[in-house]
Amino acid sequence: DIQMTQSPSSLSASVGDRITITCRASQSISNYLNWYQQKPGKAPNLLIYSASSLQSGVPSRFSGSGSGTDFTLTISSLQPEDFATYYCQQSSNTPITFGQGTRLEIK
Amino acid sequence: EVQLVESGGGLVQPGGSLRLSCAASGFTFRSYWMHWVRQAPGKGLVWVSRINSDGSSTSYADSVKGRFTISRDNAKNTLYLQMNSLRAEDTAVYYCARETSVVGAPFDPWGQGTLVSVSS
């Protein structure tokens, strides 16, 4: 199975900050990497697919990059509604696997 | 509007069975692969199972293989997850999700989830 490791596991930041979350795969997954945002009590919501493509309707302050084994999600200027948990997901191989999540909290 | 609505969750005793349903609307259900993903209380997302568009091919996580069965009825636009021999560690919110056809095969949308609790 492909292991997905996110860092950090939690992050405190302020409105307006720029933050980056990293996701590392245990083997190459090309660009089969997706990012989701999840708010408490809600289903995950797709932000970025294929490592760097912005899902329709997602604000442009979200961006993704990387290929192979190392990927990043960047939020350029945090807004109050961005405080949530973020997950990376690989869809290169079955079983599909998720990172453990990064909880983004207000400082 | 593209929508997925799960149902069928509830409280069940260890060793019991439950069947989850996921009703799809707003898109051509028979054209898409579908997945189940679960999330234990306070924990992360875990992929459970997937089925291809015509139901001829399925895959499972090792943790549920032999106990869970994914299926679909394309005439009814509905996805199912039959869960047998349930264990306490199967307690979770279960989400159904559509696999999109773009590169990266992301899941979008997701249903609102249905809670399965396994306890005596």
Side-chain angles (χ1 to χ4, degrees):
Chain A
D1 297 3
I2 298 176
Q3 308 303 317
M4 306 300 293
T5 304
Q6 284 182 236
S7 62
S9 295
S10 64
L11 176 60
S12 293
S14 301
V15 173
D17 284 354
R18 177 186 178 92
I19 67 100
T20 296
I21 299 169
T22 297
C23 180
R24 175 165 288 175
S26 59
Q27 65 187 72
S28 178
I29 57 170
S30 184
N31 64 341
Y32 282 78
L33 189 285
N34 308 305
W35 290 97
Y36 301 88
Q37 176 193 67
Q38 187 180 34
K39 296 182 178 179
K42 300 295 186 182
N45 182 52
L46 176 65
L47 297 176
I48 301 286
Y49 63 92
S50 188
S52 60
S53 296
L54 189 68
Q55 173 68 354
S56 176
V58 174
S60 59
R61 62 181 179 272
F62 291 90
S63 64
S65 65
S67 67
T69 61
D70 294 315
F71 303 87
T72 59
L73 172 70
T74 298
I75 309 175
S76 60
S77 179
L78 280 170
Q79 298 303 300
E81 61 268 30
D82 299 338
F83 292 93
T85 300
Y86 294 85
Y87 293 93
C88 62
Q89 173 217 27
Q90 69 80 19
S91 54
S92 174
N93 286 6
T94 302
I96 291 167
T97 47
F98 293 86
Q100 80 278 15
T102 295
R103 185 176 179 182
L104 178 56
E105 301 174 319
I106 299 175
K107 185 183 289 185
Chain B
E1 178 192 6
V2 175
Q3 194 172 16
L4 298 171
V5 178
E6 299 96 336
S7 60
L11 176 62
V12 60
Q13 292 187 338
S17 298
L18 214 54
R19 189 177 83 156
L20 306 184
S21 299
C22 169
S25 60
F27 66 100
T28 306
F29 179 71
R30 65 179 181 272
S31 297
Y32 290 87
W33 291 30
M34 298 294 295
H35 297 257
W36 289 98
V37 176
R38 68 185 182 184
Q39 186 171 36
K43 302 297 184 181
L45 301 169
V46 176
W47 176 81
V48 172
S49 183
R50 70 97 175 134
I51 188 167
N52 70 345
S53 55
D54 67 6
S56 62
S57 175
T58 60
S59 290
Y60 299 91
D62 285 345
S63 59
V64 307
K65 201 172 294 182
R67 300 188 299 124
F68 289 12
T69 302
I70 190 172
S71 63
R72 65 193 296 161
D73 185 335
N74 286 342
K76 294 183 178 180
N77 291 337
T78 303
L79 174 72
Y80 302 101
L81 185 67
Q82 177 67 44
M83 304 186 294
N84 298 332
S85 303
L86 282 162
R87 307 166 179 167
E89 54 265 35
D90 295 319
T91 294
V93 174
Y94 284 74
Y95 297 101
C96 62
R98 182 184 72 170
E99 178 182 311
T100 69
S101 54
V102 299
V103 176
F107 295 173
D108 181 68
W110 298 56
Q112 85 288 354
T114 188
L115 176 63
V116 172
S117 296
V118 184
S119 175
S120 55

